[in-house]
Amino acid sequence: GIFQSNKNAAERYIHLSGRELPIVGVAVLDIAISELLALRFCGDIREIDSFLGTNGDGRAPGASAGARMQLAYLIGLLRKEDLKVFRILKAIRNLFAHGVELNYRSPEVAKQLHALEDAWHTALLRTGWVATQKMKGLGQSEDAGKGLLLAIILTYELQLHEELPKVDRISPLRHVSHPDLSHVIRRDH
């Protein structure tokens, strides 16, 4: 899994181009979320892999990064503030994955970088961390954009790694009883 090589997480990103960083970084975070979800789910591992698409089926209900992020939030693996950061990271990833001519100074990327910085500061404040001052040159400099992304991706990669031993598997239902719903069923006779 992604967490097995976590000791030198920064090395995974150092030599990436500005375009590659959000693509690879979000992919790594997506894999990390998939691993946490798999630990949380109960049931047969084949069913879990089939649902998450980790068996290679991109049509699976939980195969997209966005679906996994939302699901991780809904079952308590991500906080709402973190979900917002992850969604902006995904938007930046999509811009670079589908926009051949884009860079960190492109208006659409710069706009997302500023939104990302604001969302990350909010997420940090909610955890009790002290958010640093705003980055200078964000949206004007490749280095500022890459630096922000690298800091956020590494922070979340390490945070998700720390959550790994804390994840509890959902307990399967032992017996499903069917309550009397006759008072709920509408009868129009």
Side-chain angles (χ1 to χ4, degrees), residues 79 81-82 85 116-134 155-156 159:
R79 295 172 309 121
E81 297 83 10
D82 298 321
V85 171
L116 178 63
E117 184 180 35
D118 290 342
W120 192 44
H121 281 238
T122 300
L124 287 176
L125 290 172
R126 296 267 194 255
T127 63
W129 287 25
V130 177
T132 59
Q133 61 184 344
K134 298 280 186 175
T155 299
Y156 276 111
Q159 182 180 336

Side-chain angles (χ1 to χ4, degrees), residues 14 39-41 58 65-66 76 79 106 112 120-121 128 145 158 173 185:
I14 294 299
L39 286 173
R40 184 100 166 106
F41 291 160
R79 295 172 309 121
S106 300
Q112 290 295 330
W120 192 44
H121 281 238
L158 294 173
L173 294 175
I185 299 172

